[in-house]
Amino acid sequence: MQLGQLAPESAPSDQQVIAATRAWLERAVIGQQLCPFAAGPYRTGRVRFCINAQPSPAGLLEELCRELQMLRDADPLQCETTLLIHPQVLTEFLDYNDFLDECDAAVAELGLEGELQVASFHPKYRFAGTHEHDITNFTNRSPYPMLHLLREASISRAVESFPGIDEIAPRNMETLRRLGHEGWRRLWIE
């Protein structure tokens, strides 16, 4: 399966979802250095992969709340971050994008503002003002829709320790422009 495209109508197994997500992390996020902070937690096994089995956005929201609380209570040396992957829910990007407001509201309702936040990745991710096929959209395109639960303390440490943090997004867009669609496709050839 090429990254940035949803799986066929048959539901993938949890193992397939995790394998595709790991490949995306290794080849794109870490391999192309799209996130300079991803390698450490991934290589030390502190990324939690959670597959959502809920069939609706309401069920996903319940799962999100459970995962936020789980991450809050987890030892960061054991679980630094969570990828809540939901291959069967919110497969249309606009619906997913609208759902992000509910995610932020859940963080606030749980009293976790300033402690946790939710980042967004989707196979059809599209930044405002870009064309659907603009290669820069691929900086946030994952194999399946997912919510990335992050610790604010981790983000603060990263900001303090990484010179030029504001340059990451423009650098990522330039990386994707250099790579181009053909280079992106080659990342997924086994």
Side-chain angles (χ1 to χ4, degrees), residues 41-169:
Y42 180 71
R43 291 188 177 129
T44 57
R46 294 180 296 133
V47 176
R48 176 174 159 78
F49 294 86
C50 179
I51 311 299
N52 172 65
Q54 300 292 329
S56 68
L60 174 59
L61 189 59
E62 290 173 11
E63 183 81 18
L64 172 64
C65 290
R66 281 191 293 275
E67 287 298 318
L68 286 165
Q69 293 167 328
M70 192 286 309
L71 186 59
R72 174 198 63 203
D73 297 339
D75 178 350
L77 297 175
Q78 299 298 314
C79 182
E80 176 68 27
T81 190
T82 300
L83 296 176
L84 177 54
I85 310 162
H86 44 99
Q88 304 302 318
V89 181
L90 300 173
T91 58
E92 291 304 318
F93 179 67
L94 292 179
D95 295 335
Y96 171 86
N97 200 46
D98 289 343
F99 184 78
L100 296 175
D101 289 335
E102 293 184 52
C103 296
D104 291 339
V107 169
E109 209 169 283
L110 292 168
L112 297 174
E113 285 181 308
E115 189 173 349
L116 300 177
Q117 67 175 252
V118 178
S120 55
F121 297 93
H122 194 279
K124 297 178 183 177
Y125 200 96
R126 185 172 175 188
F127 290 106
T130 64
H131 183 272
E132 176 184 356
H133 300 292
D134 187 323
I135 191 67
T136 62
N137 291 319
F138 286 69
T139 63
N140 283 53
R141 288 200 178 168
S142 54
Y144 298 98
M146 73 175 71
L147 301 169
H148 182 189
L149 287 53
L150 297 148
R151 296 175 187 273
E152 292 272 346
S154 300
I155 296 167
S156 295
R157 279 192 308 276
V159 168
E160 291 170 6
S161 68
F162 191 81
I165 190 113
D166 293 334
E167 298 169 13
I168 292 174

